[in-house]
Amino acid sequence: MTKVGRWMTRNPITIEKDATVIEAVHLMKEKNVRRLPVMDKGRIAGILTEKMVADFKPSKATSLDTWEIHYILSKTPVTEAMNPTPYKVKPDTDLTEAAKLLHDRKLNGVLVVDDSDNLVGILTITNALEALIEICKNPQVCQQ
C-alpha cells in the first residue's frame, strides 16, 4: 500500500497563532497556498483555510468600506478564524484511508504529524489527485 508520507507536502508554510487574519491573507497570496497550519511555539494550535478567512470577512452587503474591513482584519488574531481541532494523520497512514477521510469529511487537506504530534507535512486533495494519476499510469507504484 502507498503511504501518506510519499505524497504529502513536506514542511508546509505555517503561521504563528499571534498573527492577524490580514497577515494570513497576505501570506496565503504570497506563497500561493490555501491553508495554513497555525502554530504556537512549534506546536499545532489549529488550521486556517482560505474558506475560513472568506467566511470570517464581513459580507459584501456591509456598510463598512474596504479600509475599515482591512483595519478590522489587521486587528483580528488568526485564532478567532481558525479551526482549533484540525484532522491529522501519520506519514505511515495508508493513502486510501487518508483519501477516504478527505472525502467523507469534505476536507481539502489534513495535517500530517509524527508520533509526538509534530507537524511534518500536509496532505491536500491536490496531493491525493497527483497520487491517483501516478497510480493509474503506473499501478506498480502501489507495491513500492
Side-chain angles (χ1 to χ4, degrees), residues 3-14 33 37 90-92 110 112-114 119-124 127 130:
K3 304 294 182 183
V4 165
R6 177 166 180 189
W7 300 101
M8 70 184 184
T9 299
R10 296 178 187 283
N11 304 311
I13 307 298
T14 63
V33 295
K90 303 267 174 81
D92 63 351
V110 292
V112 184
V113 297
D114 65 15
L119 181 68
V120 296
I122 191 165
L123 182 77
T124 66
N127 298 135
E130 289 166 348

Side-chain angles (χ1 to χ4, degrees), residues 96-134:
T96 52
E97 182 182 327
K100 184 163 175 30
L101 177 64
L102 292 171
H103 174 269
D104 292 351
R105 297 288 179 182
K106 295 180 177 28
L107 303 171
N108 291 314
V110 292
L111 301 182
V112 184
V113 297
D114 65 15
D115 289 335
S116 300
D117 205 41
N118 295 310
L119 181 68
V120 296
I122 191 165
L123 182 77
T124 66
I125 292 285
T126 301
N127 298 135
L129 287 172
E130 289 166 348
L132 177 65
I133 291 164
E134 185 64 29

Side-chain angles (χ1 to χ4, degrees), residues 15-24 38 48 76-83:
I15 195 162
E16 283 297 314
K17 76 171 191 160
D18 58 357
T20 65
V21 172
I22 204 73
E23 289 173 305
V38 179
L48 182 71
T76 305
V78 293
T79 51
E80 288 192 29
M82 74 177 192
N83 172 357

Side-chain angles (χ1 to χ4, degrees), residues 71-88:
Y71 177 78
I72 290 168
L73 295 179
S74 73
K75 297 296 181 196
T76 305
V78 293
T79 51
E80 288 192 29
M82 74 177 192
N83 172 357
T85 55
Y87 286 92
K88 302 173 190 173

